[in-house]
Amino acid sequence: MVKSRIQNVYENVREALERVTDDAGFEALELMHAVCGLTRQDLLMGRDISLSDGQQKKLDELVRRRLDHEPLQYLLGEWDFFGRTFSVGEGVLIPRGDTEPLVEACLELIKRKHAPRILDLCTGSGCIGITLALERPDAEVWAVEKSPQAFSYFQKNNQSFGSPIRGILGDALNPALISGNFDLIVSNPPYLTRSEMDALQPEVTREPAMALYGQDDGLYFYKEFCKIYPQRLNPGGALAFEIGDGQQSAVCGFLTESGMISICQKHDLHGIIRVITARNKLSGQETPAET
Ligand code: GLN
């Protein structure tokens, strides 16, 4: 069968991208879809789609940047999380599928609470807080982000989803930023260790170190959050953290020391313990009273 011109272009892009990714076919299609709307169906059907000179130039530029290890998600300017598309780009952490179990755990924690008040610390693109607000329209959700660059992506996403949550540009370690108590405080803070930072894939080095690095042992934010935020929970309220590979016993230790109970762990799609949740006591009682 004679290959259409677009199939040849696709093959060339795929071959070039093999130098930087194991998923070259997928990435080639994503880039070409962004440039000229090409779909897998078009390729399979041998449909020809002509590329204008401008589109060819744009495609060449994207391939060049990808070969220079820019993350695919930044080149596309968007990425999906929990079934919705978020704007991303330089300066903001890319939403990861590994974070979806954290959102599921949060939804479970608040499922019996009407109109829960939720705080998302280190929100980045806003993917956790915005998703929770959209999944639970009765919730009042607040989000804090320190980086102005990341915050601009948060604002863009929040607006494009109809501004479901309230954002604050500030330091998550400053508890005075927002008043009142919460039913759920969630965070995917920076948690990589010094040695993990030294061994990052080139693509990940393009993401903000500020969103990745959790000090030498990766545990800095959990330690600090466990000092500050248990006091900011309503009775029976919960904390939920994403954690790095192997951090569960340390983080469980901080939670126990701070008086939290009902500590639970959850795996990500790769079988790594990725989520830790805990509740505070109900009005000073040791165990939640069943009603
Ligand atoms: N999951 C990210 C990574 O492995 C780290 C995100 C974070 O530090 N919160 O690159």
Side-chain angles (χ1 to χ4, degrees):
M1 195 175 77
V2 182
K3 279 194 185 153
S4 64
R5 196 181 106 75
I6 202 81
Q7 278 173 323
N8 280 321
V9 175
Y10 167 79
E11 293 294 336
N12 289 339
V13 172
R14 187 178 56 73
E15 252 173 62
L17 294 185
E18 272 169 9
R19 300 220 302 270
V20 290
T21 172
D22 293 335
D23 231 353
F26 166 78
E27 294 207 16
L29 191 56
E30 287 284 320
L31 291 181
M32 290 185 70
H33 181 74
V35 168
C36 66
L38 183 76
T39 64
R40 191 169 300 281
Q41 187 81 348
D42 295 329
L43 283 179
L44 291 172
M45 305 290 283
R47 275 184 210 131
D48 217 353
I49 295 189
S50 54
L51 282 181
S52 67
D53 288 351
Q55 286 172 326
Q56 183 66 58
K57 252 175 98 179
K58 173 88 189 147
L59 182 62
D60 292 344
E61 167 71 5
L62 291 177
V63 171
R64 186 193 60 71
R65 286 168 59 188
R66 186 66 192 88
L67 292 177
D68 195 28
H69 295 285
E70 228 177 287
L72 174 73
Q73 296 89 334
Y74 284 180
L75 298 178
L76 299 174
E78 57 183 36
W79 199 244
D80 285 0
F81 181 79
F82 219 84
R84 299 182 181 89
T85 304
F86 287 79
S87 283
V88 295
E90 209 184 323
V92 72
L93 189 80
I94 297 162
R96 282 145 164 84
D98 286 343
T99 301
E100 292 182 356
L102 176 65
V103 171
E104 282 161 8
C106 288
L107 291 171
E108 188 64 28
L109 286 164
I110 55 174
K111 82 175 172 207
R112 285 193 189 83
K113 178 80 195 165
H114 176 67
R117 197 161 185 259
I118 300 172
L119 175 59
D120 175 15
L121 300 169
C122 312
T123 195
S125 64
C127 63
I128 297 171
I130 292 172
T131 302
L132 290 172
L134 295 172
E135 295 292 320
R136 282 293 303 266
D138 61 327
E140 177 191 320
V141 185
W142 291 78
V144 177
E145 172 53 47
K146 191 177 182 185
S147 148
Q149 227 182 335
F151 195 71
S152 70
Y153 283 99
F154 160 78
Q155 284 176 306
K156 192 171 172 200
N157 285 317
N158 199 29
Q159 272 160 25
S160 79
F161 288 112
S163 300
I165 75 177
R166 302 162 209 211
I168 295 181
L169 178 62
D171 189 346
L173 298 176
N174 174 6
L177 276 183
I178 308 172
S179 60
N181 288 345
F182 296 87
D183 300 298
L184 171 68
I185 300 178
V186 55
S187 186
N188 172 17
Y191 57 65
L192 298 187
T193 63
R194 180 73 265 161
S195 59
E196 286 168 333
M197 289 300 288
D198 291 340
L200 289 179
Q201 277 186 332
E203 282 74 10
V204 185
T205 65
R206 299 299 191 93
E207 294 186 82
M210 183 181 156
L212 296 166
Y213 182 45
Q215 307 293 338
D216 283 352
D217 61 1
L219 298 168
Y220 177 69
F221 286 88
Y222 307 111
K223 234 178 284 176
E224 297 303 313
F225 286 168
C226 286
K227 287 182 204 155
I228 301 170
Y229 287 104
Q231 294 87 285
R232 302 294 304 277
L233 291 171
N234 287 326
L239 290 178
F241 297 139
E242 176 169 321
I243 61 164
D245 194 359
Q247 291 177 331
Q248 59 273 15
S249 58
V251 175
C252 289
F254 302 143
L255 288 164
T256 311
E257 274 167 40
S258 68
M260 299 292 290
I261 57 170
S262 307
I263 298 173
C264 293
Q265 306 179 344
K266 207 172 147 99
H267 295 90
D268 68 12
L269 309 167
H270 304 102
I272 293 169
I273 296 175
R274 188 60 76 186
V275 176
I276 302 278
T277 65
R279 286 199 187 269
N280 74 347
K281 294 168 190 168
L282 277 171
S283 311
Q285 292 166 7
E286 248 337 287
T287 46
E290 292 290 338
T291 47

